[in-house]
C-alpha cells in the first residue's frame, strides 16, 4: 500500500522581506518544525526580515536584486536553479507563494523537475 506522506518539503518565496506572505511563511516554517517535517526554505532573493528557525535549511536562488525586466527574463534561470535545489535536496514537494515564485515553481516542472507543485495565490 502506498502512502501519500510528504517526506521532504520546500517552501519557495521571492524573499523573506517585510510582508504578509513572508510572515505566513515564517509561521508555516515554525509549524513544520514542531511537526518534525524536514523543510527547506528557498528564496529567490537574499532579503530577510522575519526570524527563521535554526532547524530550517535555507537556499538562495540569486544573490542580486532584479530589475523589472530581469524579473521576467530570469524566470527560466531561476527555474533551472530550483530544479537543481530540488534534485540536490531530494525534495518531494515545493509550495510556493507570490506570483514570481509560483511561475518559477511551475516552470521548473516543465523543464524536468519531478517534485509535486503547490502554489498559493492571493489577491484582492
Amino acid at each position: 500500500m502506498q502512502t501519500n506522506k510528504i517526506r521532504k518539503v520546500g517552501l519557495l518565496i521571492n524573499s523573506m522581506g517585510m510582508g504578509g506572505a513572508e510572515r505566513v511563511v515564517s509561521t508555516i516554517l515554525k509549524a513544520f518544525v514542531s511537526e518534525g517535517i524536514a523543510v527547506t526554505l528557498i528564496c529567490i532573493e537574499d532579503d530577510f526580515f522575519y526570524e527563521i528557525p535554526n532547524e530550517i535549511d535555507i537556499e538562495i536562488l540569486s544573490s542580486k536584486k532584479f530589475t523589472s525586466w530581469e524579473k521576467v527574463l530570469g524566470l527560466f534561470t531561476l527555474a533551472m536553479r530550483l530544479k537543481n535545489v530540488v534534485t540536490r535536496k531530494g525534495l518531494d514537494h515545493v509550495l510556493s507563494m507570490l506570483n514570481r515564485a509560483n511561475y518559477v515553481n511551475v516552470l521548473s516542472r516543465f523543464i524536468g523537475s519531478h517534485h509535486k507543485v503547490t502554489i498559493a495565490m492571493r489577491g484582492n
Side-chain angles (χ1 to χ4, degrees), residues 63-107:
S63 59
K64 66 175 259 176
K65 295 286 185 185
F66 291 89
T67 65
S68 296
W69 281 107
E70 288 174 327
K71 286 180 180 181
V72 174
L73 298 175
L75 290 176
F76 180 77
T77 301
L78 292 170
M80 287 296 295
R81 290 179 183 169
L82 175 61
K83 178 185 173 191
N84 292 338
V85 169
V86 167
T87 301
R88 186 169 26 88
K89 297 291 184 178
L91 301 178
D92 302 306
H93 193 128
V94 176
L95 165 65
S96 56
M97 295 190 184
L98 299 175
N99 289 339
R100 186 164 48 131
N102 289 341
Y103 292 136
V104 170
N105 197 8
V106 171
L107 185 57

Side-chain angles (χ1 to χ4, degrees), residues 8-119:
K8 291 186 179 178
V9 178
L11 254 66
L12 174 65
I13 191 161
N14 299 346
S15 75
M16 285 300 291
M18 196 178 338
E22 295 83 351
R23 184 176 17 139
V24 169
V25 167
S26 70
T27 302
I28 291 171
L29 290 173
K30 291 172 188 169
F32 279 176
V33 167
S34 71
E35 293 294 321
I37 297 172
V39 63
T40 300
L41 173 63
I42 308 164
C43 296
I44 292 175
E45 296 177 358
D46 189 4
D47 180 16
F48 288 84
F49 175 79
Y50 292 97
E51 185 177 323
I52 308 300
N54 292 332
E55 299 86 353
I56 300 299
D57 188 22
I58 300 173
E59 292 282 336
I60 308 296
L61 298 182
S62 178
S63 59
K64 66 175 259 176
K65 295 286 185 185
F66 291 89
T67 65
S68 296
W69 281 107
E70 288 174 327
K71 286 180 180 181
V72 174
L73 298 175
L75 290 176
F76 180 77
T77 301
L78 292 170
M80 287 296 295
R81 290 179 183 169
L82 175 61
K83 178 185 173 191
N84 292 338
V85 169
V86 167
T87 301
R88 186 169 26 88
K89 297 291 184 178
L91 301 178
D92 302 306
H93 193 128
V94 176
L95 165 65
S96 56
M97 295 190 184
L98 299 175
N99 289 339
R100 186 164 48 131
N102 289 341
Y103 292 136
V104 170
N105 197 8
V106 171
L107 185 57
S108 69
R109 283 295 306 255
F110 283 106
I111 60 172
S113 189
H114 299 290
H115 64 279
K116 183 174 180 181
V117 172
T118 301
I119 62 172

